[in-house]
Amino acid sequence: MTIDLFLDFKTKMISKDHLICKLKRNFIFIIFFPTVVFSQISIEMEKINGIYMIPCKVNGLSLRFVLDTGASNVSISKTEALFMLKNGYLSKDDIGEKEYYSLADGKTVEGLIINLKNIEIGDINLTNVKASIVLEQKAPLLLGQTVLEKLGTYKIDGNKLILEDYNSDIKKSSVLDEKNGFKSLKLGTHLSALPFFKNSEFIVNEKGNKAYCHIKDAPGDLKTVFDLKMDAILTTFDYNTKILIGIELVKVYKEIIINGESKQTSFNEYKYINDLYSKALKLKPTFFSQDFLNSNKIAAYEGAYAYYKGNNVLLSVGVVNTGFKLTEENDIEHTTILKINYYKIDNESIESLFEKF
């Protein structure tokens, strides 16, 4: 979703392009985030022939997995998958499309994408984890990145897996999932049940099956995040079902650059909001890499786009740099936008969700 629906950033022809280019090279933002304290969790493993085995319960079934930091996701063999299907630990609805996987020995094998509704590791309970069935009878059970990325920073100490900044997945995600949106706007709600839309206009993208709306008559408190006043609030609906699937709040900053520097108001407020979200969610932000931002043509600086992930809701907070221009007074003006997004998760990757923001 873009804010071009209601904001006009038309600029005049700039005659001093070389000056602006030089400014872009020298204009550096440094962002410092306050420290958030998290508890440490220790999980017992078994080391066999140099391989760490970790006990887990998958949909209630006790299994032992190889801890494999190089594996992209969780994988189980055809033998375990058939047993789980036969005994009700998996259903046909949990099984998706085919994929092909490269094993450690370089061999390529066929597999199926599946959704594991629940994985228990010690006292930790993870839900809706992407996994794969490797269609070989004796393929090992691997615990890969689709689980490890949910556990935060970790280290191995002897036979223990130490989670250094984890204080329970339920606690991490409960606030986002319980709120299920922003204030009175709840994700998954039908358009007819939402307020403030009587005078609103929708822009429809039939190809993308989305309808976008700027809530023009939204009250001031609905445009306030903690104590920060935002400029506008936008919503995204599924075009066919009329169900709310996305919420975006934006604030636009236009600052004059003096001697190659600005007040950096947008970045100061960005880190301020991130600090408040971290404390409220008891979860430190995860940052998108600059390479990923560049590949998606999001002009943000390193560390200037973060997200918080619940089981059902994804929250992102980011600063977008829209560029520089010369004003009528011949001053250099820098425009940035603070964007806060809530989006419903439906077994989608963070990267695919990001493309919808």
Side-chain angles (χ1 to χ4, degrees):
M1 184 194 308
T2 68
I3 65 167
D4 292 336
L5 311 180
F6 65 98
L7 292 178
D8 185 4
F9 289 124
K10 293 181 179 177
T11 58
K12 297 180 179 180
M13 294 297 292
I14 299 175
S15 59
K16 297 184 178 180
D17 291 340
H18 64 284
L19 178 60
I20 292 178
C21 290
K22 180 179 179 182
L23 181 62
K24 287 181 180 178
R25 290 195 299 269
N26 297 330
F27 201 56
I28 301 174
F29 299 95
I30 302 176
I31 303 172
F32 298 96
F33 283 88
T35 301
V36 181
V37 178
F38 298 87
S39 60
Q40 191 177 82
I41 291 179
S42 175
I43 299 172
E44 292 286 341
M45 299 186 295
E46 184 179 1
K47 191 174 183 180
I48 302 175
N49 297 325
I51 297 174
Y52 289 100
M53 306 295 296
I54 184 166
C56 304
K57 283 188 177 181
V58 178
N59 295 341
L61 176 64
S62 295
L63 296 169
R64 289 200 311 166
F65 285 80
V66 174
L67 181 68
D68 188 348
T69 59
S72 60
N73 59 17
V74 176
S75 66
I76 62 177
S77 70
K78 183 178 178 180
T79 301
E80 278 80 13
L82 289 173
F83 176 85
M84 293 175 73
L85 280 167
K86 183 178 179 179
N87 292 278
Y89 294 104
L90 275 179
S91 70
K92 292 181 180 179
D93 293 337
D94 296 323
I95 301 176
E97 299 176 350
K98 288 184 179 181
E99 275 192 349
Y100 291 89
Y101 304 92
S102 295
L103 301 181
D105 59 4
K107 185 179 179 181
T108 300
V109 296
E110 186 180 57
L112 293 172
I113 300 172
I114 59 172
N115 177 58
L116 300 178
K117 292 187 174 69
N118 182 265
I119 295 182
E120 295 178 51
I121 308 172
D123 294 329
I124 296 173
N125 194 322
L126 305 177
T127 59
N128 293 323
V129 176
K130 180 182 177 181
S132 59
I133 299 172
V134 178
L135 299 181
E136 288 194 350
Q137 300 291 342
K138 297 182 179 181
L141 281 70
L142 303 179
L143 197 71
Q145 288 300 322
T146 47
V147 163
L148 295 176
E149 67 182 9
K150 295 175 181 287
L151 302 180
T153 304
Y154 60 86
K155 65 180 180 181
I156 296 174
D157 184 5
N159 289 340
K160 294 181 179 180
L161 177 67
I162 307 295
L163 310 183
E164 298 183 325
D165 56 6
Y166 191 91
N167 68 337
S168 144
D169 186 70
I170 294 175
K171 290 181 180 179
K172 280 184 177 183
S173 63
S174 62
V175 176
L176 276 175
D177 294 328
E178 288 171 8
K179 294 291 184 182
N180 195 34
F182 179 71
K183 296 188 176 180
S184 61
L185 293 175
K186 304 299 181 183
L187 298 172
T189 305
H190 192 274
L191 173 62
S192 62
L194 291 169
F196 321 125
F197 284 90
K198 291 182 179 179
N199 300 321
S200 298
E201 297 178 356
F202 288 80
I203 294 180
V204 175
N205 178 357
E206 292 187 15
K207 184 178 180 180
N209 195 33
K210 301 291 186 296
Y212 308 111
C213 176
H214 167 217
I215 311 177
K216 295 181 179 179
D217 51 353
D221 67 311
L222 193 63
K223 293 190 291 185
T224 303
V225 181
F226 296 105
D227 58 349
L228 182 64
K229 299 288 186 181
M230 305 295 284
D231 292 332
I233 182 167
L234 302 96
T235 51
T236 305
F237 289 86
D238 182 282
Y239 179 63
N240 291 328
T241 64
K242 307 298 187 294
I243 295 296
L244 179 65
I245 57 175
I247 302 165
E248 178 176 83
L249 297 105
V250 296
K251 185 173 181 179
V252 181
Y253 305 80
K254 295 186 177 183
E255 296 186 331
I256 301 300
I257 308 300
I258 300 175
N259 296 325
E261 297 180 356
S262 80
K263 296 180 180 179
Q264 301 184 21
T265 305
S266 60
F267 292 90
N268 290 332
E269 294 191 346
Y270 162 75
K271 66 182 181 182
Y272 170 69
I273 287 293
N274 263 302
D275 181 30
L276 294 177
Y277 272 127
S278 293
K279 291 176 179 177
L281 300 173
K282 295 182 174 62
L283 177 66
K284 65 181 181 181
T286 301
F287 298 99
F288 290 104
S289 69
Q290 188 58 47
D291 288 342
F292 178 76
L293 294 172
N294 290 341
S295 67
N296 284 273
K297 299 181 180 179
I298 302 297
Y301 292 90
E302 188 77 41
Y305 225 116
Y307 66 87
Y308 305 82
K309 186 176 180 295
N311 292 319
N312 304 308
V313 179
L314 181 74
L315 165 66
S316 74
V317 184
V319 175
V320 176
N321 169 33
T322 65
F324 301 84
K325 75 170 186 177
L326 291 181
T327 67
E328 293 181 354
E329 292 77 23
N330 217 29
D331 293 320
I332 297 176
E333 182 181 81
H334 180 218
T335 302
T336 53
I337 304 170
L338 175 63
K339 301 176 70 175
I340 300 172
N341 285 81
Y342 292 83
Y343 216 95
K344 192 73 172 175
I345 297 175
D346 186 21
N347 294 327
E348 297 172 275
S349 67
I350 299 297
E351 290 76 10
S352 64
L353 282 167
F354 187 85
E355 294 173 359
K356 300 177 182 180
F357 295 167

